[in-house]
């Protein structure tokens, strides 16, 4: 079934004080969608919200709501179609909660008229929805931050609009309110089929709950689509300039973004440029390669990994960090083909790293590959955190080969952090 | 209780007080006229009621005193008070600032300079019974308002901060010009000072007939924008999101309030504190909803100025005190008392 477009923006340009804030935006939003707009400060998110809600005018291009250009809609009619939920602020005067919420009915009450039955009904519904009925008679100024925000949401709901624009309504509140309000917005979207367009500071909040994500950068749409297609390590780096992991939440199956923290992240750009010429292959298994891959890829090295079994933590890490890898079926011994592919990676690498992998007969061939690497003249670094005797489940076969590799000139380090020094030399 | 019934109840109570005040104030004065006689005389002016009142027993001189001297002054003071309080509510609402008074944007300084020029340099070009001073004061007030408004208009939008600042700056300059004139015309100084301090001494039915319809019309038209004013107190942007044509409403309200204040100032001089304090007092009683606050403040403003003016003309009888002095001396302590008693924020 084709969805009906509720908001359509074409060739939208907007300048403020002679500097262009929005550049040629064009997009469609379908009725009933839940859309998030993400972007750094100054990307033009709020400007876009202000234009759609007719707070700002004097734009070039076309903004249509429900098929009508908003230039032709009155302020009142626009407010009947689009309600904005901003962060709460304090009004100049000490109104009661119900007086505040009734202000949402302004577009429906004529200048010479008074509130009608339907206005009281709408306010009542909005209060029930936001659980503000219990303090309807109290002064707004005496409420807590979370309660005030509920009143502002109720005010917007009283507008009975088709579209709800969320202008960072929760980013100044505690996590419990962020969850509470997000659930409210989701329920409004699902049960009352309100179209919701939100600006959120929290990327994960946006990804988890939106059908589509719009990434804005410097007043331009960088991408717009399903979270899976839009959110990636590269796109976040491009928009926000931050290093993140993008993974899948095992519980919800949705993407999640988690920032990379570390003392070396800051101001290390020049080193990263040099590092990208060095290819490093890491032997995986049982999650032993993950910290190595993480460290090396954050430093900018070109990393590969193998052979690892599907369902291994190292596979998740490699996927998350977009590192090429060689896999084998879950819980199966390494096949001839996989070993060949692994050797291909090793041959094209400058350095091979062997972290503290446990060896059994199934993955013994990985150790054979390392021995091959030494013979090929590759630099081999062994991270020997745990005695090989305790990691050898082959009855001594692995331990013997391990010793032979060290004898052949592999570098032995005691911890993951020491490998950087050896890579730079 | 809906806003409408609440408003009507307050208005009824205030009108009742106003009526009693009119009778009481009409009986006070240098000539001793009893409350009973005053009531009878006032009653005889009301069509329908006059058939039942026998005026033959009453002193005809008292009838003249009340009808030609006291009543015009009473009604003029009521309308000036109403105008000042209405303008006060609008300015405080627009500026979301408790210190906003009808004079914030320079209406008073402009009117004072206009009146001074009228008193000193021009005489006798009255129009339709309006004196030169009044005409010049009105012109001064409106020109100043226009200037301040033009300065504060940036790309079609009015900046409230610029409006307040340019109002203060221009007021200071105009006042200096007024003082400059006063120094060189010491013979007119007392006249000018008396005008500046505010007085209703020269009240007449002529003046009332000119002021009353103007003020009434402006006050009533402005009354239809009170819901907008409520919402504008949430901030211009939020008001626009809720469907208020913020810039248009602000412009209309500014022009209306400035005209109302200018009309009042030009007939009465600068009467302070009525426009500032009355809305505050009423806000404590009826709450912040402008739809209730505005009409009640208007009536209360009339009551306050009527009482003050009656004191002004009777306290040191037969000498008159400028009513502006009374409103400040009584109004300010009362306001401070309310501030301390309410303990919480008034605004």
């Amino acid at each position: 079934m084709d969805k009906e477009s509720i908001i359509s923006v074409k060739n939208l340009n907007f300048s403020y004080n002679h500097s262009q804030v929005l550049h040629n935006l064009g997009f469609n939003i379908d009725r009933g969608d839940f859309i998030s707009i993400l972007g750094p400060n100054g990307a033009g998110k709020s400007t876009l919200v202000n234009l759609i809600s007719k707070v700002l005018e004097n734009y070039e291009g076309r903004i249509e709501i429900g098929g009508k250009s908003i230039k032709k809609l009155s302020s009142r009619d626009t407010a009947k179609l689009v309600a904005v939920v901003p962060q709460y602020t304090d009004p100049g005067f000490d109104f009661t909660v119900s007086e505040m919420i009734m202000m949402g009915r302004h577009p429906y009450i004529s200048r010479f008229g008074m509130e009608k039955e339907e206005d009281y009904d709408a306010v009542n519904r909005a209060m029930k929805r936001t659980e503000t009925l219990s303090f309807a008679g109290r002064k707004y100024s005496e409420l807590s931050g979370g309660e005030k925000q509920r009143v502002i949401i109720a005010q917007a709901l009283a507008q009975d609009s088709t579209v709800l624009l969320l202008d960072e309504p929760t980013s100044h509140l505690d996590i419990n309110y962020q969850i509470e309000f997000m659930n409210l917005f989701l329920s409004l979207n699902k049960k009352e089929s309100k179209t919701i367009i939100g600006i959120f500071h929290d990327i994960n909040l946006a990804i988890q709950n939106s059908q589509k994500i719009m990434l804005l950068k410097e007043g331009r749409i960088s991408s717009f689509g399903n979270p899976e297609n839009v959110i990636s390590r590269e796109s976040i780096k491009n928009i926000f300039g931050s290093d993140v992991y993008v993974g899948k939440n095992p519980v919800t199956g949705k993407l999640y973004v988690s920032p990379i923290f570390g003392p070396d992240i800051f101001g290390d750009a020049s080193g990263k440029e040099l590092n990208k010429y060095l290819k490093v292959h890491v032997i995986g298994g049982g999650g032993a390669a993950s910290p190595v891959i993480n460290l090396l890829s954050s430093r900018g090295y070109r990393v590969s990994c193998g052979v690892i079994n599907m369902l291994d933590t190292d596979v998740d890490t490699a996927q998350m960090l977009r590192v090429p890898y060689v896999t084998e079926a879950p819980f199966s011994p390494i096949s001839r083909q996989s070993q060949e592919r692994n050797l291909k990676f090793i041959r094209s690498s400058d350095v091979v790293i062997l972290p503290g992998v446990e060896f059994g007969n199934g993955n013994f061939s990985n150790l054979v590959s390392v021995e091959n690497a030494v013979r090929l003249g590759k630099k081999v670094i062994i991270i020997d955190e745990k005695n090989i005797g305790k990691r050898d489940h082959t009855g001594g076969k692995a331990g013997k080969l391990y010793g032979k590799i060290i004898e052949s000139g592999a570098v032995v380090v005691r911890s993951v952090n020491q490998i950087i020094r050896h890579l730079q030399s | 209780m809906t806003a409408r019934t609440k408003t009507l109840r307050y208005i009824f109570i205030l009108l009742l007080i106003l009526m009693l005040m009119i009778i009481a104030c009409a009986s006070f004065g240098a000539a001793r006229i009893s409350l009973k006689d005053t009531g009878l005389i006032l009653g005889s002016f009301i069509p329908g009621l006059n058939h039942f009142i026998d005026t033959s027993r009453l002193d005809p001189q008292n009838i003249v005193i009340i009808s030609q001297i006291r009543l015009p002054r009473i009604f003029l003071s009521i309308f000036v008070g109403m105008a000042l309080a209405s303008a006060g509510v609008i300015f405080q609402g627009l500026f979301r600032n408790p210190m906003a008074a009808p004079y914030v944007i320079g209406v008073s300084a402009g009117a004072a300079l206009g009146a001074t020029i009228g008193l000193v340099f021009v005489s006798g070009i009255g129009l339709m019974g309006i004196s030169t001073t009044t005409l010049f004061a009105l012109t001064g007030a409106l020109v100043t308002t226009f200037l301040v408004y033009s300065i504060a208009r940036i790309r079609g939008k009015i900046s409230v901060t610029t409006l307040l600042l340019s109002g203060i700056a221009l007021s200071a300059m105009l006042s200096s010009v007024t003082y400059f004139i006063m120094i060189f015309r010491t013979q007119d100084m007392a006249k000018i000072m008396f005008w500046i301090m505010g007085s209703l001494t020269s009240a007449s039915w002529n003046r009332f007939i000119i002021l009353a319809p103007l003020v009434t019309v402006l006050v009533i038209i402005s009354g239809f924008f009170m819901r907008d004013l409520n919402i504008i107190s949430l901030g211009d942007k939020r008001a626009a999101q809720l469907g208020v044509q913020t810039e248009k409403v602000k412009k209309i309200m500014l022009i209306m309030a400035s005209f109302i204040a200018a009309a009042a100032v030009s007939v009465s001089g600068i009467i302070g504190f009525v426009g500032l304090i009355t809305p505050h007092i009423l806000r404590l009683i009826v709450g912040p909803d402008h739809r209730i606050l505005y009409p009640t403040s208007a009536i209360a403003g009339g009551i306050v100025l009527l009482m003050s003016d009656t004191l002004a003309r009777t306290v040191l009888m037969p000498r008159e005190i400028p009513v502006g002095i009374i409103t400040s001396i009584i109004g300010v302590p009362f306001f401070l008392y309310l501030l301390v008693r309410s303990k919480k924020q008034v605004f």
Side-chain angles (χ1 to χ4, degrees):
Chain A
M1 194 180 79
D2 269 352
K3 278 191 174 178
E4 182 195 349
S5 158
I6 181 79
I7 291 179
S8 143
V9 170
K10 282 177 204 133
N11 307 324
L12 178 64
N13 284 290
F14 182 78
S15 300
Y16 190 78
N17 278 348
H18 305 293
S19 73
Q20 196 160 358
V21 183
L22 295 179
H23 302 264
N24 211 26
L25 299 195
F27 57 88
N28 274 306
I29 289 172
D30 291 333
R31 194 181 280 268
D33 267 1
F34 196 124
I35 312 267
S36 291
I37 304 174
L38 296 178
N41 292 332
K45 295 169 291 176
S46 290
T47 308
L48 185 57
V49 162
N50 287 339
L51 284 168
I52 296 175
S53 56
K54 224 187 167 186
V55 171
L56 286 175
E57 285 170 284
N58 299 325
Y59 55 88
E60 285 167 37
R62 199 169 167 81
I63 303 173
E64 283 179 10
I65 302 174
K68 272 188 196 157
S69 164
I70 61 165
K71 281 204 169 136
K72 290 187 183 126
L73 289 173
S74 68
S75 301
R76 278 164 190 271
D77 288 340
T78 310
K80 286 180 193 171
L81 288 169
V82 178
V84 183
V85 182
Q87 279 181 20
Y88 75 85
T89 48
D90 289 328
F93 302 99
D94 208 3
F95 292 108
T96 65
V97 169
S98 56
E99 282 171 337
M100 288 287 286
I101 298 172
M102 186 53 96
M103 291 182 192
R105 295 301 292 173
H106 176 79
Y108 297 90
I109 307 170
S110 91
R111 179 165 306 292
F112 308 103
M114 299 285 289
E115 296 92 347
K116 294 192 194 69
E117 206 53 48
E118 63 192 64
D119 300 311
Y120 287 103
D121 288 346
V123 168
N124 222 31
R125 275 200 306 277
M127 287 203 270
K128 274 191 191 140
R129 211 74 183 73
T130 51
E131 289 169 32
T132 45
L133 262 177
S134 56
F135 47 87
R138 277 174 62 194
K139 297 267 189 224
Y140 174 82
S141 62
E142 293 163 4
L143 303 180
S144 73
E147 288 169 332
K148 283 180 182 174
Q149 192 60 53
R150 276 197 223 166
V151 173
I152 297 301
I153 295 171
Q155 200 177 49
L157 291 184
Q159 283 175 253
D160 270 338
S161 64
T162 329
V163 179
L164 211 52
L165 284 177
L166 312 175
D167 194 356
E168 296 193 41
T170 58
S171 34
H172 59 310
L173 294 172
D174 290 338
I175 180 90
N176 54 321
Y177 286 114
Q178 296 201 10
I179 296 167
E180 175 191 321
F181 291 134
M182 186 43 95
N183 284 329
L184 174 61
F185 297 139
L186 283 172
S187 142
L188 288 166
N189 176 243
K190 291 277 166 327
K191 292 186 185 152
E192 292 168 35
S193 59
K194 271 194 198 293
T195 310
I196 294 186
I197 303 167
I199 300 179
F200 299 102
H201 248 139
D202 188 327
I203 301 177
N204 285 314
L205 199 75
I207 304 174
Q208 289 218 31
N209 301 302
S210 315
Q211 284 145 355
K212 282 184 183 170
I213 305 266
M214 182 187 294
L215 292 182
L216 273 186
K217 190 193 181 186
E218 289 161 9
R220 292 180 173 88
I221 296 178
S222 137
S223 51
F224 183 36
N226 301 329
E228 283 76 16
N229 299 333
V230 168
I231 298 296
S232 66
R233 213 174 169 208
E234 292 75 29
S235 67
I236 299 295
K237 175 86 185 174
N238 173 34
I239 298 287
F240 292 98
S242 312
D243 287 306
V244 293
Y245 304 130
V246 175
K248 252 191 184 158
N249 183 326
V251 182
T252 61
K254 303 216 169 162
L255 290 181
Y256 75 89
V257 169
S258 92
I260 300 174
F261 295 107
D264 299 328
I265 299 295
F266 200 74
D268 208 18
S270 57
K272 277 183 188 172
E273 278 303 303
L274 283 174
N275 291 345
K276 78 179 181 192
Y277 298 109
L278 202 63
K279 279 184 168 178
V280 182
H281 186 77
V282 184
I283 301 298
S290 294
V292 183
I293 298 173
N294 178 19
L295 177 70
L296 296 181
S297 68
S298 75
R299 291 296 183 102
Y301 292 102
R302 292 169 67 187
V303 187
S304 57
C305 183
V307 178
I308 36 186
N309 288 101
M310 291 298 291
L311 303 182
D312 195 314
T313 316
D314 286 338
V315 175
D316 291 341
T317 309
Q319 280 178 347
M320 206 190 278
L321 299 178
R322 304 239 166 152
V323 164
Y325 57 94
V326 181
T327 49
E328 190 51 75
F331 310 111
S332 311
I334 294 168
S335 64
R336 190 81 217 146
Q337 293 97 308
S338 300
Q339 195 187 358
E340 271 312 313
R341 282 196 286 138
N342 203 29
L343 279 167
K344 222 168 159 185
F345 269 113
I346 288 175
R347 275 192 288 271
S348 68
S349 299
D350 303 303
V351 182
V352 173
I353 295 180
L354 175 62
V357 179
E358 307 266 335
F359 285 103
N361 286 321
N363 68 343
F364 180 70
S365 64
N366 269 346
L367 205 54
V368 176
S369 303
V370 178
E371 198 220 353
N372 265 317
V374 184
R375 271 198 273 124
L376 284 166
K378 304 285 175 192
K379 184 170 190 176
V380 173
I381 302 173
I382 295 176
I383 304 166
D384 192 37
E385 282 175 313
K386 194 177 163 193
N387 195 302
I388 183 65
K390 288 176 186 160
R391 294 191 269 131
D392 181 3
H393 311 291
T394 58
K397 198 165 63 164
K400 224 171 125 189
L401 188 54
Y402 194 81
K404 201 175 155 198
I405 294 167
I406 296 174
E407 278 296 303
S408 310
V411 179
V412 178
V413 298
R414 293 292 160 207
S415 76
V416 176
N417 293 325
Q418 289 171 3
I419 58 178
I420 296 295
R421 194 158 22 106
H422 288 281
L423 284 177
Q424 279 162 352
S425 64
Chain B
M1 190 164 50
T2 64
R4 186 198 286 269
T5 51
K6 205 172 151 192
T7 314
L8 290 177
R9 201 182 63 168
Y10 282 123
I11 289 178
F12 176 77
I13 294 168
L14 284 165
L15 282 176
L16 202 70
I17 296 172
L18 181 65
M19 227 101 94
L20 296 173
M21 290 299 303
I22 291 173
I23 300 170
C25 293
S27 95
F28 292 142
R32 286 174 187 279
I33 306 170
S34 71
L35 262 178
K36 187 188 156 207
D37 284 359
T38 312
L40 288 174
I41 293 168
L42 290 176
S44 72
F45 299 140
I46 300 168
L49 207 64
N50 48 8
H51 303 296
F52 307 101
I53 293 165
D54 176 21
T55 46
S56 59
R57 275 190 319 101
L58 300 166
D59 187 341
Q61 199 194 325
N62 285 352
I63 298 179
V64 172
I65 288 175
I66 286 185
S67 72
Q68 293 308 314
I69 297 169
R70 291 189 190 165
L71 270 192
R73 186 156 177 176
I74 284 170
F75 278 102
L76 195 70
S77 64
I78 291 171
F79 273 79
V80 168
M82 187 172 94
L84 292 175
S86 308
V89 170
I90 296 174
F91 278 127
Q92 287 176 9
L94 270 184
F95 296 152
R96 284 164 249 151
N97 186 323
M99 289 324 290
Y103 308 136
V104 269
I105 62 168
V107 169
S108 57
L113 180 60
T116 306
I117 293 171
L119 281 166
V120 173
F121 301 112
V122 198
S123 60
I125 43 163
L127 192 73
M128 297 185 303
I130 319 170
S131 74
T132 324
T133 324
T134 304
L135 270 180
F136 272 74
L138 187 65
T139 314
L142 293 180
V143 167
T144 314
T145 307
F146 176 75
L147 271 176
V148 172
Y149 176 81
S150 315
I151 294 167
R153 230 173 76 109
I154 305 157
R155 267 180 278 115
K157 295 196 172 191
I158 303 156
S159 151
V160 163
T161 319
T162 320
L163 198 74
L164 283 173
L165 284 176
S166 55
I168 291 168
L170 211 61
S171 292
M173 195 189 85
L174 295 177
S175 300
S176 302
V177 177
T178 307
Y179 297 142
F180 184 78
I181 296 172
M182 278 162 72
I183 289 165
F184 284 92
R185 300 287 296 222
T186 35
Q187 67 269 41
D188 293 321
M189 209 185 235
K191 256 198 302 187
I192 298 170
M193 280 307 288
F194 207 82
W195 191 92
I196 287 175
M197 283 188 282
S199 164
L200 293 155
T201 324
S202 50
S204 67
W205 281 121
N206 250 344
R207 283 193 171 198
F208 174 75
I209 283 162
I210 294 190
L211 177 79
L214 183 69
V215 168
T216 310
V217 168
L218 293 176
V219 167
I220 288 175
I221 293 173
S222 306
F224 291 115
F225 290 87
M226 290 304 130
R227 193 148 34 81
D228 305 63
L229 216 51
N230 280 344
I231 300 176
I232 284 177
S233 78
L234 307 183
D236 289 357
K237 188 174 147 190
R238 183 69 188 138
Q241 290 168 349
L242 291 167
V244 176
Q245 287 179 287
T246 320
E247 288 307 314
K248 194 180 114 186
V249 170
K250 267 163 68 185
K251 267 176 222 167
I252 294 173
M253 288 287 88
L254 269 177
I255 293 166
M256 286 292 176
S258 306
F259 269 69
I260 294 170
V265 167
S266 56
V267 298
S268 66
I270 301 162
I271 300 173
F273 288 95
V274 176
L276 175 71
I277 291 169
T278 315
H280 278 287
I281 297 171
L282 268 292
R283 205 172 282 120
L284 286 173
I285 299 167
V286 305
D289 185 345
H290 286 93
R291 288 174 302 168
I292 307 174
L293 180 66
Y294 181 73
T296 50
S297 293
I299 304 171
I303 296 172
V304 168
L305 196 59
L306 172 58
M307 284 164 62
S308 308
D309 186 53
T310 306
L311 284 174
R313 66 185 168 86
T314 55
V315 165
L316 294 178
M317 243 166 2
R319 252 193 102 162
E320 280 232 10
I321 310 167
V323 66
I325 291 178
I326 301 280
T327 53
S328 303
I329 287 180
I330 296 174
V332 174
F334 183 60
F335 179 63
L336 292 177
Y337 161 75
L338 285 175
L339 264 183
V340 174
R341 214 195 64 162
S342 68
K343 288 222 169 79
K344 56 180 183 178
Q345 234 185 329
V346 178
F347 210 87

